Every structure is written in structure tokens, then in C-alpha cells.
Amino acid sequence: MKAIVIDQFGTADVLRLADVPEPTAGPGQVLVEIAASSVNTADVKARELGQALDFVPPLPAQLGMDFAGTVRAVGEGVTDFAEDDEVYGCAAGVIGHGGALAERLSADARLLAPKPDNLSMVEAAALPLVAITAYEALIDRMNVQPGHTVLIHGGAGGVGHVAVQTAAALGARVYATGSSGQQEAIRHLGAEPIDYTREGVDAYVTRLTDGAGFDRVFDTVGGDNIVTSFAAAKLNGHVATTVSLCELDLTLAHVRGLSLHVIYMLLPMIHGPGRERHGEILRAVARLAQNGKLKPIVDSIYPLARAAEAHRKLERGGTIGKVVVVHGADESGSMDAAE
């Protein structure tokens, strides 16, 4: 079968289309014919940094974590899925798993769920990693409730645009930061936009919360922005972050009595325990989508043979939503999802 392979770590130029052995469905697995996959920041970091990260498979490696497709074979012990079922999940591209940038994939059935009926394969492929991340942060960790004020940093990004919709579905009052060009998209998603390039954290905390701070803050940006998240949270509030690979002074978190949650959704894939929870979350996400409360934004689409261009697109920044790779599409080039 065809798959995207890397023989060394580095720039997007290392991604190449190759013929590789076709996988089979082992015990607890299903063989999925992949219709679409999406590119995440974690995929880009894996390609760049290699095994300096704990989840990256050894070379030669196949990357790509998210996908949607159709079950073609069912392994021993699998009872939740049957041939021809349409599924989606984040079950690939880390150590011990094949990559989703391929025509077919053998995937742990515990990490999958039925694809939402009202979403296309492209839309469904855009959801798993970011939707699980948002769900873990907002529901499993921070217990967002109706009426909570929730601030999401990076509200137009991959995780952020799903988190905005999820928090709104929970009945929270949602605010989200973004650049000047992202304000309308954030408003459309259901949040009051904050242009961080024009207004500092002290100013918008005063304007929007009378200086009290937000009940819950979800940081999808990381780095220095974690400190900004501490400054935005109310006393005894909660902060969740997806990017905490840094040294940080926790003084501000201490004096505000904050709870800090680090979200690393790849852990069940890497280590095993908790994989069933990801399948459960994806079923809950599917219900949100089917009830019209969650719809992914697809920024742009590329064919499998041009996966390197999809990586470059995400690396350039400024995307709204997700970059998706379509499998089996013609090689004519990229397209904006809005076209």
C-alpha cells in the first residue's frame, strides 16, 4: 500500500510517498481503510524533533495520528465494530502504532468510535486529537458548568476552535483570544473574541469580569502564555494547558490558589491504560456533532502525495481550524475548505 514515510527527522522535505507492507488486524484491532487524516502540531514536532520526544516511533517512521475511514477487517476479540462501519479516532503515529498518513491502518478498537453521521470523512478526520484534548481539559479536569466564565487562548486554532464550541455546549460564557484576522471566526464559533494584539490581559480581565478573573482558563498556546493564563484566572480558579514544556515561575499560581492541569492526551496511546476513555469521549463528541453543537472547521485540504505541503501549511501559522489530508484524491493541489 501507499504511505508517507520519513527516513530522517527534519523539515517537511523528509516526508516521502512510499510502498510499504499492508497491515493486518491483530487481536483487539480493526483494519481501517483511511479516507482522510488531519495534521496536528504534534505531528509536526514529531517530524522535526524525532525521539527527543517520548512518543515518536523509530526510523523509518510513519506519522499521522488522526483519521476517519471504513473498517475492512475485524481482529479477534473486537465486538464493537464490524466490516463496513465508518469510524474515526486518534490511534496512530506514535511509538507502537502505525501512521495515519497511509491507505490502511490497523488500529486499537478501544481508541475508535463510530463516525458522526452528519459529518463528512474530511470533517471527522479533523476532530479526534483536538476534540479529546478539549474534552479532557474542560470536562474531565476543570469540570466546566453552566454559567462558568471560560477563557480559551487560541480560540481559532485546532484545539481552540473545538474547545470554544464544547464550552458553549456546556452552557458556559465563553471568551477566546485570537489575532485581528480571527475575530469573526471566533464570534461565529460562539465566543466573545479578544484581540490579544491590541488588549493586554489586565485590560480584558477588568473589562469582561470586573477584575475578578475567569472561572476557567484553557491555554492552547503555552510558553509565556501560561503566565498570562494565571493572570486571567480568578482566585481559586482552574487553568489547563496543552503546552507546558518549559521552566516556569509558579508564584502567581500560588498567590491566586490556582489549580493547574497539564493535558497530554497521547498518554493512553503511548502507555495503554485509559484507551477505553478515548473511545468514550469520541462517542460523546459524536453526539455533540450530531446535535448540531460541534462542527470542525477545515482550513485546507491536500492529497496524500502532498502531505509535506500540508505540514508546511500548518507550520506557517494563521490557520483557522484544521489542515486535512485526503487519501485517494487526485494530485491536483490544495484547496481552501471554504471554496
Side-chain angles (χ1 to χ4, degrees), residues 206-237:
T206 298
R207 176 172 63 86
L208 297 172
T209 72
D210 291 327
F214 299 90
D215 295 309
R216 305 288 188 265
V217 181
F218 184 22
D219 171 39
T220 71
V221 178
D224 293 341
N225 202 65
I226 301 178
V227 177
T228 300
S229 298
F230 294 162
K234 75 172 188 180
L235 299 180
N236 293 316

Side-chain angles (χ1 to χ4, degrees), residues 56-338:
V56 179
L59 297 172
Q62 296 177 39
L63 303 181
M65 299 174 180
D66 283 336
F67 60 90
T70 304
V71 174
R72 295 305 182 201
V74 176
E76 180 184 353
V78 175
T79 58
D80 290 342
F81 300 104
E83 287 187 41
D84 298 325
D85 283 352
E86 293 185 339
V87 297
Y88 77 132
C90 180
V94 304
I95 191 166
H97 300 260
L101 288 174
E103 292 179 324
R104 284 169 290 281
L105 172 74
S106 57
D108 188 323
R110 294 172 294 176
L111 296 166
L112 308 182
K115 181 184 77 67
D117 294 336
N118 61 332
L119 296 185
S120 67
M121 288 288 189
V122 166
E123 291 170 323
L127 274 177
L129 184 148
V130 296
I132 293 169
T133 300
Y135 197 100
E136 287 188 353
L138 297 170
I139 297 174
D140 289 357
R141 302 291 192 90
M142 295 197 293
N143 190 28
V144 170
Q145 298 293 313
H148 275 165
T149 54
V150 176
L151 172 64
I152 296 167
H153 286 296
V159 174
H161 88 285
V162 172
V164 166
Q165 295 176 78
T166 303
L170 294 169
R173 289 179 287 156
V174 189
Y175 306 84
T177 63
S179 64
S180 299
Q182 297 171 332
Q183 302 295 290
E184 186 54 40
I186 289 171
R187 184 175 289 107
H188 178 75
L189 290 166
E192 180 169 339
I194 300 166
D195 187 345
Y196 71 90
T197 67
R198 298 182 178 182
E199 187 176 26
V201 59
D202 292 339
Y204 64 70
V205 166
T206 298
R207 176 172 63 86
L208 297 172
T209 72
D210 291 327
F214 299 90
D215 295 309
R216 305 288 188 265
V217 181
F218 184 22
D219 171 39
T220 71
V221 178
D224 293 341
N225 202 65
I226 301 178
V227 177
T228 300
S229 298
F230 294 162
K234 75 172 188 180
L235 299 180
N236 293 316
H238 290 248
V239 174
T241 181
T242 61
V243 192
S244 55
L245 295 170
C246 61
E247 294 184 5
L248 193 65
D249 184 349
L250 295 177
T251 299
L252 186 56
H254 175 83
V255 300
R256 290 177 177 265
L258 302 179
S259 296
L260 175 62
H261 309 274
V262 175
I263 310 301
Y264 186 20
M265 66 78 61
L266 297 179
L267 289 176
M269 290 176 61
I270 299 168
H271 299 289
R275 289 184 183 178
E276 295 88 350
R277 181 58 179 155
H278 280 198
E280 293 168 359
I281 290 173
L282 288 175
R283 283 173 168 81
V285 168
R287 290 192 292 271
L288 287 176
Q290 289 162 346
N291 291 333
K293 295 182 178 180
L294 176 61
K295 188 176 179 65
I297 295 175
V298 177
D299 180 277
S300 48
I301 302 170
Y302 294 81
L304 180 62
R306 299 178 66 182
E309 293 182 41
H311 271 234
R312 294 187 191 103
K313 172 72 172 180
L314 184 62
E315 287 179 289
R316 285 196 294 270
T319 57
I320 296 177
K322 294 295 294 293
V323 177
V324 175
V325 174
V326 177
H327 300 218
D330 81 333
E331 311 298 318
S332 58
S334 65
M335 57 179 287
D336 291 330

Side-chain angles (χ1 to χ4, degrees), residues 4-6 9-16 44 47-48 307-313 315:
I4 297 295
V5 175
I6 63 171
F9 301 112
T11 70
D13 293 339
V14 302
L15 295 163
R16 65 179 180 89
V44 172
R47 189 209 73 223
E48 288 179 332
E309 293 182 41
H311 271 234
R312 294 187 191 103
K313 172 72 172 180
E315 287 179 289

